[in-house]
Amino acid sequence: LRERGAFDYRQRERLSGWSRPRAEAVRQLYVGLDELHRTAPADPLPEAMDRLFARLPILELAAASLHGEQAVANLKKVRQMAAELAERPHLTFTAFVELMITRLEEQPEEAESALAEESLEAVRVMTIHKAKGLEFPVVILPGFHHGTGRGRELPLVSQDWATGVFGINWGECCSLGAVLVNEKVRLREEAERRRLFYVGMTRAKERLILSGGWPSRPSKGTFLGLLQEVATGEVGAAGSPTLHIGPVPLEQTVVTAGERAPKRRTPAPARLRASTEWAAIAERWATRDQAWAALRAAAVHVTPTGLLQSGDKKAGRPASHAAGDPERSRLVGTLAHRVLQHWDFSDAPEKLRERIAAVCRQDIAEDRAGKMAEIESELQELLRTFTASEPYRELQRATILGREVPFVMPWEGEGRGARGKGSKERAKPLASSLSPRASRPCVVMEGVIDVVYRLDGKIHLADYKTDRVQDSEVPARAAAYEGQARIYREAVSRCLGMTDVGMQLIFMRNGKAVSV
């Protein structure tokens, strides 16, 4: 805000184009401040105060401050004072603010808003900040030997806002600017300690008791040190029963502590007896390392397609898209699935041309844009054959329940441990290595079913295939997909709680369907 010169809420236009994460919150705050600036001076005092607390997060900010409970109580007291003064004629919000400023400058004998009953007959323990404005017959200020400590040891970046000087502290090293900043901080903290000392002592009506220890190595910045600066006599000396601070005598009672009890020594750790079983231990660790490596190698997620591809590689069978350009074949298959994902089987097949063209324009990457016409033509021919086939007419009669239906399920079948490579050795569980009772690690099977539909009162699944095969090769190729089909059927059976689920593979280039 300082860099943009936008501290003035009446110049909100300076926040335009400001992309900080809290920019919108600042704009809303400035809108509320500007509204109050215009309306509060002219409104009656009660209405102005109500609008002030309603439009601005005053109580929330007070509650988040260091002494939040007291700050909120004080603000509510100011609001109550405004309500009590509202009966005065012609007292506006501006006049009330001026009255509050005058009271601040004159520092009247005004206590903070009480958090408890003033007449409570009990010892009250509170900080000096909380005691400001209050008085008690007897006040005890303990812990006078505590000082400021060693200070920060962590890296610290500080700034003196009056001069704009930055300081960097890192352990015992600091920048030149930190010398100025640290000195101003030291003087400010020393003045604050003196002020707290004064405030604490002046809370007593009849008797003030100052208590503290005198260690062999006193800390810096203690109240005892401040007392010694102004007192005549030695603080903490048994031979000085009375100290004098100017004309005021201060009785001093010194109690010498006895010998401190010696610290309990920590017993030495038990020595491990020598062992000659290092070979057996090393073997056990090697077994555990192998088990851990096997567990890390086991896949957490497997897919039906991954299991199918791994099976093809192991059996030496050709890939599904071996003919021609495999990348292009995969692209055509993906585009065919995209076309059918949102296609209404009851529509006229002629509308497919527009759908195919739209999908190609959207999903074909730039590096294949030059082949778009060829890919679109191949896709038109593939889907033309499919729409003229018996499987397509069956889908027209069916009730479509879902397209591109994802599923996830625990999997304990063959190939469950293969990370897309189907290695049965890697799929072995760790039970034998870790413990004979250890369970096999859980593996998740996930996939997507092309279409789920109901026909003649039975649930069916269908998976589109764009393989380039001859009609005579369709049954053999369908047999290669039996494992994938079994996973799809099991997923739907678990989900719907039924066992009679039909499954067919639709080879779109051939216009044929095979039930598996």
Side-chain angles (χ1 to χ4, degrees):
L1 289 173
R2 179 184 180 186
E3 290 173 356
R4 300 181 70 90
F7 276 128
D8 191 341
Y9 59 84
R10 293 166 296 181
Q11 297 178 354
R12 298 196 307 275
E13 65 277 359
R14 296 185 180 180
L15 296 178
S16 60
W18 196 38
S19 59
R20 290 286 183 177
R22 298 292 180 266
E24 184 58 31
V26 176
R27 293 190 187 98
Q28 294 179 6
L29 176 64
Y30 277 14
V31 169
L33 289 172
D34 188 48
E35 176 187 338
L36 292 169
H37 174 73
R38 290 183 286 102
T39 60
D43 287 342
L45 182 57
E47 295 181 11
M49 292 297 294
D50 290 342
R51 183 177 289 109
L52 182 72
F53 279 85
R55 294 286 286 121
L56 300 179
I58 297 177
L59 294 178
E60 291 83 351
L61 290 173
S65 63
L66 179 61
H67 304 287
E69 186 179 2
Q70 186 67 67
V72 172
N74 289 343
L75 279 175
K76 291 184 176 180
K77 183 174 182 179
V78 172
R79 192 173 186 178
Q80 180 182 357
M81 292 171 62
E84 294 173 353
L85 295 174
E87 60 187 18
R88 293 187 182 182
H90 310 299
L91 182 63
T92 62
F93 178 77
T94 303
F96 176 72
V97 172
E98 293 176 353
L99 179 61
M100 291 293 103
I101 293 175
T102 302
R103 290 195 175 190
L104 277 176
E105 294 174 347
E106 295 177 355
Q107 288 292 318
E109 294 296 328
E110 177 66 38
E112 288 188 319
S113 181
L115 298 177
E117 292 294 336
E118 297 287 350
S119 59
L120 189 63
E121 293 294 335
V123 175
R124 301 182 63 180
V125 180
M126 64 179 65
T127 63
I128 295 179
H129 290 284
K130 291 289 183 70
K132 182 181 178 182
L134 303 178
E135 287 186 328
F136 303 93
V138 179
V139 170
I140 302 175
L141 299 179
F144 263 40
H145 58 283
H146 291 297
T148 56
R150 298 177 58 187
R152 295 176 179 267
E153 296 184 357
L154 297 176
L156 174 67
V157 178
S158 54
Q159 180 186 17
D160 178 35
W161 294 100
T163 60
V165 175
F166 283 90
I168 301 176
N169 294 272
W170 193 299
E172 297 181 353
C173 302
C174 67
S175 65
L176 182 60
V179 177
L180 171 64
V181 177
N182 293 343
E183 180 62 16
K184 297 191 71 172
V185 170
R186 184 189 66 80
L187 294 175
R188 184 165 58 247
E189 290 180 349
E190 183 176 343
E192 176 66 12
R193 285 197 300 274
R194 293 176 182 272
R195 187 186 72 84
L196 287 177
F197 194 7
Y198 171 79
V199 171
M201 290 193 300
T202 54
R203 301 308 95 202
K205 291 181 179 180
E206 301 173 6
R207 188 172 183 83
L208 173 66
I209 301 175
L210 310 179
S211 173
W214 196 258
S216 58
R217 299 177 60 184
S219 301
K220 295 182 179 180
T222 64
F223 283 161
L224 283 177
L226 295 177
L227 190 62
Q228 183 65 75
E229 292 179 10
V230 298
T232 302
E234 186 177 355
V235 176
S240 299
T242 304
L243 302 176
H244 288 83
I245 303 177
V248 180
L250 185 64
E251 296 179 8
Q252 178 176 228
T253 301
V254 179
V255 178
T256 303
E259 293 293 333
R260 297 180 60 183
K263 294 183 177 179
R264 296 181 59 185
R265 293 185 178 181
T266 304
R271 296 179 60 86
L272 298 177
R273 64 179 180 83
S275 175
T276 58
E277 301 177 356
W278 297 117
I281 294 176
E283 183 179 355
R284 289 172 60 188
W285 273 112
T287 303
R288 293 179 179 182
D289 290 342
Q290 294 175 2
W292 173 241
L295 179 60
R296 296 186 63 183
V300 178
H301 296 265
V302 293
T303 63
T305 304
L307 295 181
L308 175 66
Q309 292 175 352
S310 64
D312 287 344
K313 292 179 181 179
K314 288 194 302 179
R317 292 192 292 267
S320 300
H321 305 292
D325 182 359
E327 291 294 334
R328 172 171 168 171
S329 298
R330 277 191 288 270
L331 176 60
V332 170
T334 300
L335 295 175
H337 282 74
R338 296 276 176 82
V339 170
L340 295 178
Q341 181 178 358
H342 301 289
W343 174 249
D344 189 348
F345 293 104
S346 62
D347 285 348
E350 291 77 13
K351 294 183 179 180
L352 265 178
R353 182 177 296 275
E354 299 177 3
R355 173 66 181 161
I356 293 171
V359 170
C360 289
R361 286 193 303 270
Q362 178 179 351
D363 296 335
I364 294 180
E366 295 182 358
D367 58 343
R368 286 189 174 269
K371 301 289 185 179
M372 181 179 295
E374 297 179 11
I375 296 174
E376 184 176 346
S377 176
E378 180 180 351
L379 198 58
Q380 295 280 4
E381 179 63 26
L382 184 152
L383 291 173
R384 187 182 303 112
T385 302
F386 175 51
T387 55
S389 65
E390 179 60 30
Y392 185 84
R393 288 189 288 272
E394 186 175 281
L395 290 173
Q396 286 181 312
R397 295 188 298 109
T399 300
I400 305 300
L401 303 180
R403 307 166 188 260
E404 299 294 327
V405 179
F407 67 87
V408 177
M409 64 178 178
W411 183 246
E412 297 291 339
E414 181 181 356
R416 47 156 294 188
R419 193 185 296 271
K421 295 184 179 180
S423 173
K424 291 184 178 180
E425 291 298 321
R426 295 175 61 189
K428 289 182 179 179
L430 303 183
S432 59
S433 301
L434 296 176
S435 169
R437 297 184 179 181
S439 60
R440 299 174 66 179
C442 179
V443 175
V444 174
M445 172 66 71
E446 56 184 350
V448 179
I449 302 173
D450 290 343
V451 61
V452 180
Y453 60 95
R454 181 186 292 110
L455 183 64
D456 299 331
K458 184 178 179 180
I459 300 297
H460 297 267
L461 317 176
D463 193 58
Y464 305 128
K465 300 298 180 184
T466 58
D467 300 27
R468 295 177 178 274
V469 294
Q470 301 295 327
D471 289 352
S472 58
E473 299 174 341
V474 168
R477 181 52 60 89
Y481 289 113
E482 286 183 357
Q484 181 183 13
R486 183 173 65 253
I487 295 172
Y488 288 165
R489 291 183 58 183
E490 184 173 350
V492 174
S493 297
R494 292 188 189 184
C495 177
L496 301 181
M498 57 178 59
T499 57
D500 189 13
V501 178
M503 174 71 196
Q504 64 176 0
L505 304 173
I506 300 177
F507 292 83
M508 293 193 293
R509 293 183 186 272
N510 307 82
K512 296 182 178 296
V514 178
S515 297
V516 291

